[in-house]
Amino acid sequence: MMYDVNKVREDFPILAREVYGRPLIYLDNGATTQKPRQVVEAMMDEYYNVNANVHRGVHFLSQQATDLHEASRETVRKFINAKSTNEIVFTRGTTESINLLAFSLGEAMVKEGDEIVVSAMEHHSNIVPWQMLCERKGATLRVIPMTDEGELELGRLEELLNPHTRIVCCTHVSNVLGTINPVKRIVEIVHAHGIPVLIDGAQSVPHMPVDVQDIDCDFFAFSGHKVYGPTGVGVLYGKEEWLEKLPPYQGGGEMIKNVSWERTTYNVLPYKFEAGTPDYVATHALAKAIEYVTALGMDNIYAHEQELTQYAIERMQQIEGMRIMGEATHRDAVISFLVGDIHHLDMGTLLDRLGIAVRTGHHCAEPLMTRLGISGTVRASFGLYNTKEEVNTLVEGIERVSRMF
Ligand code: PMP
């Protein structure tokens, strides 16, 4: 199939708007993506025509809403190739997925003297919940180091693993460097020691085909809003044998089997981890987003964005004083950069005036910034609707801002 980016853009009404009288060039997809009509209309349709609380109702609408919600779970299962819908827990996003796991796994199996391993390029969402757990339990956080090129030092990973290691947590794609980590290899190394692995898929799921059985990770987290779906919904995948072993995260409705003053028993998977009314409108809309990207083809999206990223890097490298962070062999559609000694905030603010939306700052990865010896970067991150023309405008914009300094 020919990937027709101009036709794709028609599905995203926001891309036609202007900011400061200039066409919007949206290059902040790492933070969140824009939504196609199919997603927004599904939400409207559900609120207008179906809305009722799920799971607890005998009436028609409740059953219909439940059917949509549970069908969405199946759509997610298929999308990441999980074995069973019991392994798909709906959360509010990657951050909540990781907090859930850090709490439940922490309660089940982390004690004083234990160790948790994360990587040098994690988002705060995959650092802080583990730090909080370590503080609660008297455990220690250890870090897989990174080369100057922005690749994890897998030789050093082996040295970090020991009988006290309880879990290894690593991002699939860095939201700063764009590095695509060899997650399959990481899982292999860690599993040889009988230790489970969590992969943070927030930045991979929107850009490439993901198969959790092929990766063989024990847990995998991602956010709906970064894959063209709505805000407020995300997923924690966990192998069934793991989720069975872990205690619930939050207490409340839906996660119980029976409640009495003496003793409460918990629901089966995945409901054990889903206390309270889920955002069933968002889960349905997430399924629509997944159907949307699946119809385009995750392989096609990957190829389109790879071409765009290569083109952008080649053009950007010709700009005087350009410093692109990270030179990993396998990299995704995220480019973090600095030009000369222009502050990232100045660059971002001036690009914004040209209609170009980029992100500036530490990108919720302060330890990584410290490792790079900088306070922040400008970050352009591409999505399935970005074009070479937009990259050209970005390059011209950067050159124009550079000339001003
Ligand atoms: N991990 C990574 C790698 C991310 O890029 C992000 C979002 N920037 C998160 C976790 C957190 O995602 P959310 O805010 O949707 O929970």
Side-chain angles (χ1 to χ4, degrees):
M1 187 192 85
M2 268 292 289
Y3 189 83
D4 186 349
V5 69
N6 290 318
K7 188 154 177 298
V8 167
R9 289 177 71 85
E10 289 171 10
D11 293 328
F12 295 82
I14 204 169
L15 298 179
R17 74 161 287 182
E18 297 189 336
V19 293
Y20 310 112
R22 292 167 183 275
L24 167 69
I25 295 184
Y26 187 77
L27 302 179
D28 193 17
N29 295 284
T32 200
T33 51
Q34 301 303 342
K35 319 304 171 198
R37 273 177 222 287
Q38 290 83 338
V39 167
V40 179
E41 282 167 10
M43 297 184 86
M44 259 172 37
D45 181 57
E46 187 162 7
Y47 276 127
Y48 280 150
N49 297 310
V50 183
N51 183 50
N53 205 335
V54 292
H55 293 141
R56 288 178 281 267
V58 291
H59 63 82
F60 185 90
L61 289 187
S62 176
Q63 287 182 22
Q64 202 174 1
T66 305
D67 288 347
L68 289 177
H69 180 64
E70 291 305 326
S72 304
R73 204 187 296 279
E74 168 58 17
T75 303
V76 171
R77 183 204 66 73
K78 225 166 111 193
F79 183 54
I80 60 169
N81 194 33
K83 262 191 202 146
S84 155
T85 48
N86 291 346
E87 301 178 321
I88 306 298
V89 177
F90 283 124
T91 64
R92 284 193 304 120
T94 307
T95 302
E96 191 178 56
S97 296
I98 298 173
N99 276 276
L100 185 167
L101 183 63
F103 178 84
S104 294
L105 183 124
E107 286 305 292
M109 51 188 264
V110 177
K111 54 183 192 319
E112 197 174 336
D114 281 348
E115 296 179 5
I116 310 285
V117 176
V118 300
S119 94
M121 60 175 81
E122 296 310 309
H123 187 279
H124 295 162
S125 291
N126 204 19
I127 299 174
V128 184
W130 302 111
Q131 275 181 330
M132 290 162 71
L133 167 64
C134 287
E135 208 158 285
R136 278 199 309 275
K137 299 285 181 170
T140 307
L141 196 67
R142 314 220 29 206
V143 183
I144 312 167
M146 180 189 93
T147 64
D148 289 337
E149 286 73 36
E151 295 185 338
L152 293 179
E153 295 185 49
L154 294 196
R156 305 276 299 277
L157 167 60
E158 194 83 54
E159 297 163 20
L160 290 173
L161 306 175
N162 63 57
H164 302 289
T165 313
R166 290 292 157 260
I167 188 167
V168 172
C169 310
C170 182
T171 194
H172 196 169
V173 172
S174 162
N175 68 314
V176 176
L177 308 166
T179 308
I180 304 176
N181 285 316
V183 284
K184 242 181 113 159
R185 180 75 194 117
I186 291 170
V187 169
E188 239 172 51
I189 294 170
V190 177
H191 276 182
H193 296 256
I195 300 163
V197 180
L198 159 72
I199 300 299
D200 174 350
Q203 297 292 345
S204 62
V205 160
H207 304 288
M208 59 190 71
V210 166
D211 180 333
V212 290
Q213 289 190 68
D214 182 54
I215 297 170
D216 198 29
C217 54
D218 304 276
F219 304 99
F220 188 95
F222 71 94
S223 298
H225 70 96
K226 291 187 200 276
V227 59
Y228 311 96
T231 51
V233 66
V235 171
L236 176 66
Y237 158 82
K239 283 184 181 166
E240 196 160 349
E241 59 265 34
W242 271 110
L243 294 182
E244 285 291 2
K245 271 193 274 199
L246 302 184
Y249 172 47
Q250 294 179 329
E254 202 51 42
M255 51 74 74
I256 58 95
K257 191 156 85 193
N258 292 108
V259 178
S260 71
W261 294 125
E262 291 72 35
R263 183 164 172 269
T264 289
T265 52
Y266 304 127
N267 206 340
V268 294
L269 291 177
Y271 309 108
K272 181 172 83 174
F273 293 106
E274 295 182 350
T277 300
D279 194 338
Y280 51 85
V281 175
T283 56
H284 173 51
L286 172 60
K288 290 291 166 190
I290 290 174
E291 284 165 17
Y292 182 83
V293 294
T294 305
L296 288 178
M298 287 310 301
D299 284 319
N300 295 325
I301 292 170
Y302 182 71
H304 170 74
E305 293 178 354
Q306 283 288 315
E307 195 185 327
L308 205 58
T309 307
Q310 282 313 315
Y311 177 71
I313 289 175
E314 277 161 31
R315 289 229 41 202
M316 286 167 70
Q317 273 167 344
Q318 284 158 20
I319 298 172
E320 207 183 307
M322 172 60 68
R323 186 174 154 210
I324 294 175
M325 308 298 148
E327 297 163 37
T329 315
H330 297 289
R331 62 167 307 146
D332 202 50
V334 178
I335 305 176
S336 274
F337 65 93
L338 289 169
V339 184
D341 54 8
I342 303 172
H343 195 275
H344 46 86
L345 191 59
D346 292 332
M347 176 63 81
T349 307
L350 292 166
L351 287 176
D352 175 55
R353 288 286 157 169
L354 301 172
I356 304 167
V358 291
R359 187 148 291 248
T360 64
H362 56 56
H363 315 295
C364 294
E366 286 195 86
L368 175 56
M369 292 300 132
T370 305
R371 167 68 179 82
L372 297 170
I374 53 180
S375 68
T377 73
V378 189
R379 182 186 75 182
S381 50
F382 304 118
L384 56 79
Y385 35 60
N386 289 122
T387 64
K388 283 193 176 166
E389 291 72 34
E390 289 181 314
V391 170
N392 292 339
T393 310
L394 170 69
V395 170
E396 284 154 23
I398 298 169
E399 283 170 336
R400 191 163 153 187
V401 173
S402 301
R403 279 196 299 273
M404 291 167 65
F405 281 82

